Amino acid sequence: MANPENIRDKVAIVGVGACKFGENWDQSPSDMIVDAAYEAYADAGIEKPQEQIDAVFTGTIYSQKGPHECSDALKLWKPVTLVSNYCATGTDAFRCGVMSIVAGLYDTVLVVGYDKPKDRGVSGPSVMLDGVRDLPKTPAGWFSLCAATYFEKYGASREDLAKIAIKNHHNGCLAPKSFLKREITVEDYFKARIISWPFGLYDSAAQTDGAAAAIITRADLARSYRDDPVLVKAVTVQAGPNPQKDPSNDFLSWKPTAQAAKDAYHMAGITDPRAEIGVAQVHDCFSLTELLTYEDLGFCEKGSAKDHIADGVFELSGELPVNTDGGLKTFGHPTGATGVRMIYENTLQLQGRAENRQVADPKLALSHNIGGHPTACGIAILGNA
Amino acid sequence: MTLGIRSYGAYVPRTRLPLALIGGRPAKDGGPEKAVAWNDEDAVTMAVTAGVHCLAGLDRAQVDAVYFASTTYAFREKQAAALVARALDLPRQVRTADFAGSLRAGTTALRAAFDAVTAGSARNVLVLASDARMAAPGSPLEANFGDGAAAFLVSDSDAIATLDAQHAVADEIVDVWRSEGDPFVHSWEDRFVVQEGYTPRITEAVEGLLAACGRTVGDFAKLALYAPDARSHATAARQLQASAEQLVPPLFGRLGNTGTAFAPMQLVLALEGALPGDRILVASYGDGAEALAFQATEAIEKLEPRRGVSWHLPRRRAAGSYDAYLKARSLNPREWETGGDPGLSATIHFRERDDDLSLRGQQCRACSAIQFPAQRVCETCFAKDDFESVRLSDRIGRLVTFTFDFFFPTPEPPTIVTVTEVDGARIHLQLVNCKPEDTKIGLPVEFVFRRIHQSGGRPNYFWKGSPVPSVTDPQEA
Ligand SMILES: CC(C)(COP(=O)(O)OP(=O)(O)OC[C@H]1O[C@@H](n2cnc3c(N)ncnc32)[C@H](O)[C@@H]1OP(=O)(O)O)[C@@H](O)C(=O)NCCC(=O)NCCS
């Protein structure tokens, strides 16, 4: 495990930015990177990036061009590192940036996550084959494998998943940069076609293009950029072997989340996550992933999520609002961008800048991604200075 | 120590195309149909399954040759028998050969197997005949063709049937053919084909056989006759003065003309019902004709029940539409093809032969856990490089969890995707022959060899799960 003293409160976020997420037909990856990075520059009051930024960490999984896409878009003559870690890619780029600062290598770093799946020419998930014995390689097919088992054991059903979808569609309507801005009803939910049982259209994240950026710096330098910097309390990425063949997997949770939560809470000094965390952005690639994550992050007991959902705990007005901007559900999931987009939302929430989706006075904000089969989980916890 | 056929097996694809659908009419219950290899099946997968049934309960390490007969293998250059041997997990030193080019190839392979065993150069030869021929959509041949496979083990001992005589004639005639690059079989005018090709040749071969063994048609309990269609079958039977009881039913309207596998599947049907002492006459046709005379031995009563043609026939499901059939056979590529075709690395194919084709996993010597695929570090105790390879394909697995995927390109979605556990090993596996509503956690499954997808113009093979059949099973699946 990481040593908390070496990371907690050492690094601050002083600027965030994001492009509008969606089917950005008329934007190249570079265009989106510029939107996100320049918004973050402005947020941090950076006017001469070439002088004020020491290094760039970028995360993408679809890019054909690799690391130079970012350097070229921003015309930055700086060290650049490309990070790839499935759906945790954005969070991992952020982690690597943070690590470079705590290591004492750089003072101020730009983190950019982006992806452009809509250039592939397919609207649904890509069905890829890259192994001789490969099965349909759709994320829905992977993430749905917990459903039969979880439903059977805990008596949950699509009714419970519907509530998550309705909540996120609602929240997405309040976020200026989200893609889907449409309230849905239970009837809409059950009428929609099935993608991979039990996931239907409304259980699934949309497919979009997007980019998000953050400027991070040494905590002691933060106030030279902003009066209200946000501190990094913890950031971790945990990974493991493929759960589909893990003989000890019970298909009731995704192990990397619990693993990463333990590490992150240790770093941040959190002992009662439900009480201490004020707002969370979790990986709702599919509705059930969000449900399992409530439990795997310790927001409630294993098996009890449906009761807490029914009580409205995770709604905007609830005790622990989750996915205040509508999540992957309404922003879509341009893989490299997502983790950074969540950090963007949590920063706004902690600074009281989240407008009509503002949560009352959160002290700690958590963001979470899980991806692969799923095999990797990233968690970042931010707090007010 | 009797030399002859020691065991048999067969395979009929579960999916049947009601012939009414071809003509755009609704399917009727009990109406004529044909068996069709679905999108994950082909001559190789059908042969493997027939081979599995044939070898059930027998020691595969003793098989020293595999002869594969088909006119519909996916490659022009590259052997099927070696692939089949790998899927059946046969010894490395197994002798392999493909027999092709004629619908007679099935019985020709069988005769070659007898030659090898009689000569003493092999002791156990596995003979497989399998075909999934294609006719142009809408052509008369389309309704006629069906798909299937048969398997025999020819051994130097424990024969259930001996080969008493054989006779063959070769002939050159352009009657039925498929040319290079053409996916479809064509035929000359059917009256010519029957009058100058099939009928005179098949009777010539049978009469030659009768002369060779000094018998008459009346001496035979069963006649297993190839025929291009029901009418020619009746004509040939009449000419040979065979009675209805003697004739193995040709199964037009249920199975269809299975090409290379036709006469061999007829032989399987005959063996399924044979009593000791019964004589069986088999005749096949294609660029000539050949006839074989068998006699069942006492041992036939002791053979453990096999999955033969009769076992498979009632286990059926009707294809939902003609369109789904076209998709399954890639006859409707515009709607069926997935975006790009990456083509899978041949080196990966090569490295994973044991995992993908033989469905071999490994057992950890340190903790005994079984896992799949082969990997360097134990999933359970983390021991390194200390494993024994184990065959999983002939074991029974159970569903740990599942989902129904509607996005995987398949003629009739959804695809049932599971995690299946087999003696501790977890495999991400598709499930076939099962409806979503029958898919349950804990469902016991056996493993079937299938064509899992196609990439770079080449088929990729792997295994799928299939519910363990129950005794009460032969209803629609
Ligand atoms: C669910 C999914 C298959 C739908 O894709 P699709 O069938 O191609 O849908 P289209 O893009 O053609 O859109 C059809 C309509 O539904 C809407 N829509 C698309 N995805 C949607 C979603 N996830 N939820 C709600 N509405 C959606 C579109 O806006 C469009 O509406 P419009 O006609 O009013 O403009 C696709 O969004 C998907 O694959 N999501 C999962 C992505 C994924 O796997 N991410 C990785 C997670 S780790």
Side-chain angles (χ1 to χ4, degrees), chain A residues 23 87 118 122-126 138-140 143 169 179-180 182 193 195 200-207 283 285-286 328-329 333 335 370-372, chain B residues 407:
Chain A
E23 295 167 328
C87 302
K118 301 303 294 185
V122 284
S123 59
S126 39
T138 68
F143 280 91
H169 267 271
F179 168 54
L180 294 175
R182 187 155 87 78
R193 67 207 158 85
I195 308 293
L201 180 67
Y202 294 114
D203 295 285
S204 311
Q207 277 287 23
H283 201 80
C285 54
F286 302 97
L328 280 67
K329 173 76 263 205
H333 184 30
T335 318
I370 182 155
Chain B
F407 259 77

Side-chain angles (χ1 to χ4, degrees), chain A residues 87-101:
Chain A
C87 302
T89 295
T91 303
D92 209 356
F94 180 76
R95 180 177 74 114
C96 293
V98 168
M99 290 194 298
S100 75
I101 294 173

